[in-house]
């Protein structure tokens, strides 16, 4: 019998690829959306990608509400819990995303337990590992590291992801299940399945659109969305992944190098790409007026590396290079006439 996997937040960039890969491997998928209004469009997407429409269904679910969970979990063999708020701007209230991120993770685990769903893969983030900690330049973060939720300058998004992941580990320890595996992807780029960009691809689109004539000295781990999807599903299928977290990254890259890579690959679209790296003092001044800049302030000038070797060795992920992942996104943006 075909196994059914519950995937939360299937309107999202990463979840879309996870669904594509799950259907490709023969699973049935039950996807959650906040509103069924987009159901027909989503069903058409997977049908156009060559999948059997009978294997993809949708249910309505909000991470902050208690309704709909039993129906969503019924007869599923695993949950891919991917949904979580990932907004571009820093909110005034640092705890703004916690009810959906942490509350959602706990609702997933509680309802998986009630329904007898044995395994949950939770999408956390590299920001649950690298933020709010004072490490020497060049430090290599691993799955042993945790962000400091007490750091005064930790971003609301990082806070929500870290508190959610911590709460999830505490929950399964307290109740003895379900089996939990956590994915900690860095900045996710790569090909688009539709015109919904999500926050990470929007940032790269904004590079092309000329939103940033200069960029701060910021360094990101980069990972291709296809590798992220493969990792989620291999983690679900492999027992070695039970009870572990996995950093997903092909390596870090300063923002200015991202711009240079895009310029080299797409010279005809390069006119408005960032050309300079702004000095830190200037970034601090801009942050006084721009909330999206305020959010990244603590990361400015921090150069670090993240170690994706556990995912390579245990999940068999042969990470696409950072450059190829960025180019795949650039090609999608051009094909879809989004830049
Ligand atoms: P998207 O913004 O594309 O997707 C986010 C998804 O979460 C959407 O489906 C959204 O639904 C859903 N969602 C948000 N809030 C709620 C809520 N209260 N109830 C139900 N659903 C909700 O982001 P990505 O695909 O990029 O991110 C997916 C996951 O991966 C997130 O957990 C994010 O933190 C994590 N991640 C992303 C990285 C990246 O660089 N992209 C890096 C590391 C981790 P709706 O369409 O209704 O808004």
């Amino acid at each position: 019998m075909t196994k059914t996997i519950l995937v939360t937040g299937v309107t999202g960039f990463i979840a879309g690829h996870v669904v594509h890969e799950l259907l490709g491997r023969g699973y049935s998928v039950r996807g959650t959306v906040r509103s069924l209004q987009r159901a027909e469009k989503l069903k058409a997407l997977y049908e156009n990608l060559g999948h059997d429409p009978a294997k993809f269904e949708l249910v309505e679910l909000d991470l902050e509400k208690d309704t709909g969970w039993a129906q969503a979990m019924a007869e599923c063999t695993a949950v891919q819990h991917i949904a979580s708020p990932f907004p571009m701007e820093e909110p005034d209230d640092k705890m703004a995303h916690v009810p959906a991120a942490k509350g959602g993770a706990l609702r997933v685990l509680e309802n998986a337990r009630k329904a007898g769903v044995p395994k949950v893969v939770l999408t956390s983030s590299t920001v649950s590992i690298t933020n709010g900690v004072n490490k020497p330049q060049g430090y290599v973060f691993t799955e042993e590291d945790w962000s400091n939720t007490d750091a005064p300058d930790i971003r609301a998004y990082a806070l929500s992801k870290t508190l959610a992941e911590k709460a999830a580990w505490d929950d399964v320890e307290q109740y003895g299940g379900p089996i939990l595996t956590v994915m900690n992807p860095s900045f996710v780029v790569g090909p688009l399945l539709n015109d919904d960009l999500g926050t990470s691809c929007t940032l790269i689109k904004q590079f092309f659109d000329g939103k940033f004539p200069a960029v701060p000295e910021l360094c990101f781990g980069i990972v291709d969305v296809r590798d992220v999807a493969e990792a989620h599903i291999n983690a679900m299928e492999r027992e070695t992944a039970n009870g572990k977290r996995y950093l997903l990254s092909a390596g870090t890259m300063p923002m200015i190098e991202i711009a240079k890579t895009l310029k080299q690959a797409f010279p005809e679209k390069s006119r408005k790409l960032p050309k300079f790296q702004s000095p830190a003092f200037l970034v601090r001044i801009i942050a006084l007026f721009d909330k999206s800049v305020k959010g990244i302030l603590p990361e400015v000038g921090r150069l670090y590396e993240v170690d994706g070797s556990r995912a390579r060795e245990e999940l068999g992920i042969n990470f696409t290079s950072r450059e190829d992942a960025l180019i795949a996104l650039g090609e999608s943006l051009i094909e879809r006439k989004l830049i």
Side-chain angles (χ1 to χ4, degrees):
M1 208 180 89
T2 315
K3 292 177 175 174
T4 301
I5 312 300
L6 181 69
V7 181
T8 63
V10 292
T11 49
F13 173 53
I14 295 175
H17 279 268
V18 170
V19 172
H20 182 34
E21 179 77 17
L22 281 167
L23 294 170
R25 291 197 199 184
Y27 291 99
S28 286
V29 171
R30 185 175 298 146
T32 80
V33 281
R34 279 198 272 195
S35 158
L36 284 171
Q37 269 178 355
R38 292 168 72 187
E40 289 317 311
K41 215 172 141 191
L42 282 167
K43 284 181 184 160
L45 169 68
Y46 295 109
E47 207 173 336
N48 291 338
L49 287 166
H51 300 299
D52 178 355
K55 289 193 161 182
F56 180 67
E57 60 176 316
L58 287 164
V59 291
E60 220 169 42
L61 204 71
D62 191 311
L63 297 177
E64 295 188 58
K65 294 184 183 149
D66 288 320
T67 46
W69 292 93
Q71 184 205 349
M73 295 277 173
E75 282 152 37
C76 287
T77 48
V79 183
Q80 294 278 352
H81 176 44
I82 302 174
S84 201
F86 185 19
M88 192 71 97
E89 290 207 342
E90 183 69 2
D92 292 329
D93 175 9
K94 214 174 241 200
M95 297 297 279
H97 310 315
V98 175
K102 178 178 161 183
L106 292 177
R107 280 186 185 88
V108 164
L109 292 169
E110 184 191 345
N111 286 289
R113 215 160 25 240
K114 278 187 192 158
V117 181
K119 187 154 180 177
V120 172
V121 178
L122 169 81
T123 317
S124 182
S125 171
T126 302
V127 301
S128 303
I129 290 179
T130 59
N131 281 57
V133 286
N134 201 1
K135 298 284 185 190
Q137 291 292 63
Y139 181 80
V140 182
F141 285 93
T142 71
E143 288 88 352
E144 301 306 314
D145 292 298
W146 277 93
S147 294
N148 175 13
T149 53
D150 295 326
D153 55 3
I154 190 167
R155 286 186 304 144
Y157 172 65
L159 184 62
S160 75
K161 296 302 286 181
T162 314
L163 290 176
E165 190 191 333
K166 278 197 169 147
W169 285 120
D170 289 347
D171 183 86
V172 294
E173 195 186 332
Q174 184 183 348
Y175 293 103
I179 296 163
L180 180 65
T181 297
V182 170
M183 301 284 104
N184 301 87
S186 50
F187 190 73
V188 185
V189 293
L192 300 168
L193 294 181
N194 56 20
D195 289 353
D196 294 333
L197 296 181
T199 295
S200 47
C201 300
T202 299
L203 183 73
I204 300 299
K205 173 176 154 44
Q206 290 177 342
F207 270 37
F208 284 108
D209 291 344
K211 182 159 187 208
F212 313 104
V215 283
E217 190 188 7
L218 258 192
C219 138
F220 288 157
I222 307 264
V223 63
D224 190 294
V225 69
R226 293 163 290 190
D227 298 337
V228 173
E230 192 187 349
H232 274 71
I233 300 163
N234 289 357
M236 181 186 85
E237 291 177 340
R238 296 183 186 190
E239 278 183 22
T240 60
N242 292 357
K244 293 187 192 161
R245 61 201 307 236
Y246 289 89
L247 262 170
L248 305 178
S249 177
T252 58
M253 212 178 198
M255 270 182 133
I256 193 69
E257 290 301 321
I258 295 177
K260 283 183 189 161
T261 302
L262 297 171
K263 183 179 175 190
Q264 212 171 15
F266 306 104
E268 71 290 356
K269 295 281 177 190
S270 68
R271 200 169 55 85
K272 296 181 188 167
L273 283 169
K275 292 181 182 60
F276 314 102
Q277 190 164 274
S278 334
F281 79 89
L282 190 60
V283 180
R284 285 198 188 88
I285 293 172
I286 297 169
L288 295 173
F289 310 101
D290 187 332
K291 280 188 189 170
S292 59
V293 176
K294 187 178 166 206
I296 52 103
L297 213 48
E299 304 304 315
V300 173
R302 282 182 76 211
L303 299 177
Y304 60 89
E305 203 30 90
V306 285
D307 179 6
S309 59
R310 183 187 280 178
R312 266 194 199 96
E313 286 155 21
E314 297 183 8
L315 302 179
I317 306 301
N318 182 15
F319 287 109
T320 307
S321 74
R322 299 161 301 178
E323 290 80 4
D324 286 350
L326 287 163
I327 291 168
L329 173 57
E331 284 170 348
S332 275
L333 290 170
I334 292 169
E335 267 166 35
R336 295 181 170 279
K337 302 193 180 356
L338 295 170
I339 54 171

